[in-house]
């Protein structure tokens, strides 16, 4: 059971939708969320506070922080998203979430009645988006705007996370 392909039962249309949803998550929403973390004052402050909790020599924390921001800014510039104003990036992220909500609709899983690898990706992104209130403050309110996505997250938690906690998988 450990080597089972959970996408084996998908038809051609579902495979195509999985590709589109996966690209939206990994090439658009992901980068918008990274922008929110590393290219805003709030994100930088949260990251620096998180470093304070690490048991590192104080000057080393400053070096790590500076290196991380420089490196991430270069990646955000290379990807292109750091070239846009913050409001445009937030709009893009909100539009992505709205599209994902529309695709999910009232289905139990993003591609239909059975879970797929795309659900694992979607769940991971939504958890980061909805539950990182300190960092994703501008986007976490989308949870209230899309009750179907909030219900989806709860369904996935109940079905999979509780099993992981009990080590049943």
């Amino acid at each position: 059971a450990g080597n089972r392909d959970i996408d084996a039962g998908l038809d051609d249309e579902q495979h195509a939708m999985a590709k589109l949803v996966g690209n939206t998550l990994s090439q658009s929403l992901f980068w918008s969320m990274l922008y929110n973390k590393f290219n805003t004052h709030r994100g930088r402050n949260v990251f620096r506070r998180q470093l304070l909790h690490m048991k590192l020599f104080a000057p080393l924390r400053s070096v790590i922080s500076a290196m991380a921001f420089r490196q991430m800014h270069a990646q955000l510039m290379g990807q292109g998203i750091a070239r846009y104003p913050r409001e445009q990036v937030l709009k893009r992220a909100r539009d992505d979430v709205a599209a994902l909500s529309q695709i999910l609709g009232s289905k139990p899983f993003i591609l239909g009645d059975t879970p797929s690898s795309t659900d694992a990706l979607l769940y991971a992104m939504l958890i980061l988006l909805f539950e990182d209130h300190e960092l994703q403050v501008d986007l976490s309110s989308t949870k209230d705007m899309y009750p179907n996505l909030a219900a989806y997250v709860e369904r996935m938690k109940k079905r999979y996370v509780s099993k992981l906690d009990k080590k049943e998988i």
Side-chain angles (χ1 to χ4, degrees), residues 41-115:
H41 292 296
R42 177 189 301 277
R44 289 185 189 129
N45 290 336
V46 169
F47 184 75
R48 286 186 183 114
R49 252 193 333 273
Q50 289 169 343
L51 280 178
L52 285 175
H53 297 294
M54 299 174 110
K55 296 184 188 294
L56 296 172
F57 184 57
L60 189 56
R61 281 195 299 260
S62 297
V63 170
I64 290 172
S65 177
M67 287 174 52
F69 283 113
R70 195 172 320 120
Q71 219 172 29
M72 189 51 65
H73 183 72
Q75 288 182 16
L76 291 168
M77 287 298 283
Q79 191 275 343
I81 198 160
R83 302 172 194 274
Y84 294 99
R86 184 171 176 276
E87 281 308 313
Q88 192 171 347
V89 173
L90 289 173
K91 181 185 180 324
R92 175 179 164 169
R94 288 182 188 114
D95 290 348
D96 288 344
V97 174
L100 292 164
S101 174
Q102 187 68 37
I103 290 167
L104 178 63
S106 61
K107 298 186 299 281
F109 301 101
I110 194 70
L111 301 177
D113 293 328
T114 57

Side-chain angles (χ1 to χ4, degrees), residues 156-169:
M156 293 293 285
K157 267 189 206 178
K158 190 174 184 177
R159 183 169 178 155
Y160 294 107
V161 177
S162 64
K163 288 182 181 181
L164 285 174
D165 291 342
K166 296 175 187 173
K167 299 184 185 210
E168 292 177 11
I169 314 183

